[in-house]
Amino acid sequence: MLGRTYDNQVCSIARALEVLGERWTLLIVRDAILGVHRFDDFQRSLGLARNVLTDRLGRLVDAGILERVPYQEHPVRHEYRLTPMGRELGLPVIGLMQWGDRHLAGPAGPPRLARHSDCGDPIRLAPVCDSCGAVPPGEVELVAGPGARQPAR
């Protein structure tokens, strides 16, 4: 979706940007998370051109993030549902929202809040260590994983 590819990058962030990095794509995913499923509802919510929306929805379907599900036979009409892969995007979308709330919210405050559906209290996303529990962001270290390039000898 980006103007250039990251073929030489051995990086999961670069690969994710190939799927989600276009301007409207995350907003479509956001709307799907919020319960928008039909083309006209996406268009109404986002206000983008039909051809652009058609292209972005098609790319999300091709990437396995959305699936097209028929909801009417005559004429045939489809809605777009998040796949399990697409539902997993809820966490990074909430994380991005919360970052924006902390640093970019308008004077009235955040437009949307993330709450625990069982008790109604706010939730916050935080890195968690399998052994120690919650980890402050300053204590997160990124190290080479099994898919990293080996240094040239």
Side-chain angles (χ1 to χ4, degrees):
M1 283 194 196
L2 298 175
R4 62 178 285 252
T5 62
Y6 295 100
D7 294 336
N8 294 327
Q9 296 279 324
V10 179
C11 174
S12 296
I13 294 170
R15 290 179 187 138
L17 282 173
E18 285 299 315
V19 176
L20 299 168
E22 192 280 327
R23 177 178 177 182
W24 293 106
T25 304
L26 270 179
L27 297 179
I28 292 169
V29 171
R30 175 208 61 196
D31 279 5
I33 290 167
L34 292 172
V36 176
H37 302 293
R38 296 186 179 172
F39 185 94
D40 290 339
D41 295 332
F42 281 111
Q43 188 178 33
R44 200 172 6 266
S45 172
L46 298 168
L48 71 161
R50 294 181 70 82
N51 64 320
V52 173
L53 180 57
T54 298
D55 177 69
R56 299 312 178 266
L57 288 169
R59 289 177 188 239
L60 287 166
V61 168
D62 291 345
I65 292 168
L66 294 174
E67 62 182 338
R68 287 181 72 201
V69 178
Y71 70 89
Q72 178 179 309
E73 287 188 29
H74 300 290
V76 175
R77 294 189 187 248
H78 294 87
E79 57 187 19
Y80 297 87
R81 297 281 178 170
L82 290 165
T83 64
M85 179 182 176
R87 284 190 294 278
E88 281 187 48
L89 283 170
L91 289 176
V93 167
I94 290 170
L96 188 59
M97 178 189 83
Q98 289 180 345
W99 179 86
D101 291 346
R102 277 191 301 280
H103 300 288
L104 305 169
R112 191 169 263 110
L113 301 172
R115 300 220 181 262
H116 183 206
S117 61
D118 282 354
C119 72
D121 281 349
I123 64 162
R124 65 180 167 81
L125 300 183
V128 176
C129 171
D130 287 344
S131 300
C132 307
V135 177
E139 294 180 18
V140 174
E141 176 183 25
L142 298 179
V143 298
R149 279 196 186 126
Q150 299 303 315
R153 294 180 192 231

